Amino acid sequence: MNDHSLIARPEFECRLDPLPALPLEVALPRWQRLWRHAALRKSVILLLLLVLWEGAARWAGNDLLLPGAWQTAQAFAAELANGVLPARAAGSLVVLLKGYAAGVALAFVLTTAAISSRFGRDLLSTLTAMLNPLPAIALLPLAMLWFGLGEGSLIFVLIHSVLWALAVNMYSGFLTVPQTLRMAGRNYGLSGLRYVLAILVPAGLPAILSGLRIAWAFAWRTLIAAELVFGASSGEGGLGWYIYQNRNELYTDRVFAGLAMVVLIGLLVENLVFETCERLTVRRWGMQR
């Protein structure tokens, strides 16, 4: 063997000059950085819709059929100032929370039974196949016969609108839990309700939150529609009755103000409640982008 092959070659190191620091304005223009915020993009979309609305109203030229966005905003501010809209919205939300909470509790019970036994699984499958396609508002005449013209009938149809949509999503979420987590829970001796709360609910939380979102939307629109019927029947209700009453009195701008309140509450619940829950749970835990 040649002696020269045993001599280690000297190391060669090439030092590179650091790249010049680029200011953030050069790396990404300001408008692009602002456009990355979802709140700004949604605000632009809402502004465009308002402009289109105002343009359509001016083109129609009939305030009775289609009041403009500015006229509706004036009616909205006036009804807020006199306390009518907040009172009607509060009345609707109180009934909604009662029905929503009852529907969530029943959905959890049915889904837990479906996970725990074969009979519970067959029961949930049969009931959802039968009752999930049935519109909640179609049960309102029966609810009025059974519970009278009061809050009980509204809560009944709200439970129906929440229960099946949430149960389907919750059960699907439980089925997607990895077998490894299931076995880990069993090895720790968890069973029954403790097993569901400690293993299945955290692992299936994305599907559960999706079901809660869908159930909220179903419940909110079902309540407004049911209150419209109750307004015609007994003169009671919240935002639905407010819309019905002003439609009869031909205050179309107030009708649109009531509809704007319905939309505003929906946006607030979606962006403040559900978005916050997702950000603090499934997104923070890396379960969802």
Side-chain angles (χ1 to χ4, degrees):
M1 181 180 295
N2 193 351
D3 294 337
H4 295 286
S5 62
L6 300 177
I7 301 175
R9 295 181 179 179
E11 294 183 359
F12 178 77
E13 181 179 357
C14 181
R15 295 184 177 276
L16 299 177
D17 296 331
L19 293 175
L22 295 177
L24 187 59
E25 289 77 6
V26 177
L28 191 64
R30 183 179 180 83
W31 69 270
Q32 290 186 5
R33 286 186 284 121
L34 292 176
W35 191 248
R36 294 169 66 92
H37 296 280
L40 177 62
R41 297 195 301 270
K42 293 179 181 179
S43 299
V44 171
I45 293 173
L46 290 177
L47 182 61
L48 290 176
L49 291 176
L50 290 176
V51 171
L52 291 175
W53 178 10
E54 185 68 27
R58 292 181 181 273
W59 179 78
N62 191 337
D63 294 340
L64 182 62
L65 294 180
L66 182 62
W70 176 245
Q71 184 180 354
T72 301
Q74 291 178 318
F76 186 86
E79 294 296 281
L80 280 181
N82 60 28
V84 174
L85 266 180
R88 295 297 186 182
S92 294
L93 289 175
V94 168
V95 177
L96 177 69
L97 291 176
K98 292 179 181 178
Y100 190 78
V104 170
L106 289 175
F108 181 78
V109 170
L110 279 178
T111 311
T112 302
I115 289 294
S116 303
S117 65
R118 183 174 301 175
F119 176 78
R121 182 167 60 251
D122 294 338
L123 176 65
L124 179 62
S125 176
T126 304
L127 290 178
T128 52
M130 291 171 52
L131 300 176
N132 194 28
L134 184 64
I137 199 65
L139 296 176
L140 187 57
L142 289 177
M144 295 168 67
L145 287 175
W146 294 341
F147 303 102
L149 302 178
E151 190 177 286
S153 299
L154 293 175
I155 293 177
F156 177 80
V157 295
L158 286 175
I159 290 175
H160 175 81
S161 64
V162 171
L163 175 57
W164 311 115
L166 179 56
V168 169
N169 280 270
M170 190 179 295
Y171 184 67
S172 300
F174 287 171
L175 291 180
T176 59
V177 176
Q179 191 65 28
T180 305
L181 291 178
R182 295 174 181 269
M183 295 174 62
R186 299 299 186 189
N187 289 336
Y188 277 104
L190 299 178
S191 62
L193 185 60
R194 292 179 59 200
Y195 172 74
V196 173
L197 293 177
I199 301 297
L200 298 183
V201 170
L205 195 57
I208 295 174
L209 285 177
S210 176
L212 289 172
R213 229 174 200 159
I214 296 172
W216 150 257
F218 285 176
W220 187 226
R221 67 188 186 190
T222 298
L223 176 63
I224 299 302
E227 284 182 342
L228 285 169
V229 177
F230 270 88
S233 302
S234 62
E236 296 179 0
L239 282 174
W241 163 238
Y242 173 85
I243 294 170
Y244 178 84
Q245 184 182 34
N246 285 283
R247 195 270 297 177
N248 283 344
E249 298 175 1
L250 298 181
Y251 292 122
T252 315
D253 53 346
R254 296 181 186 176
V255 172
F256 276 82
L259 294 174
M261 177 61 80
V262 173
V263 173
L264 180 61
I265 292 175
L267 289 175
L268 289 176
V269 172
E270 176 71 21
N271 291 281
L272 295 182
V273 178
F274 291 112
E275 285 290 336
T276 303
C277 289
E278 285 189 351
R279 186 176 67 253
L280 295 178
T281 55
V282 294
R283 292 180 186 173
R284 184 178 180 182
W285 300 338
M287 302 168 67
Q288 190 182 72
R289 290 184 179 180

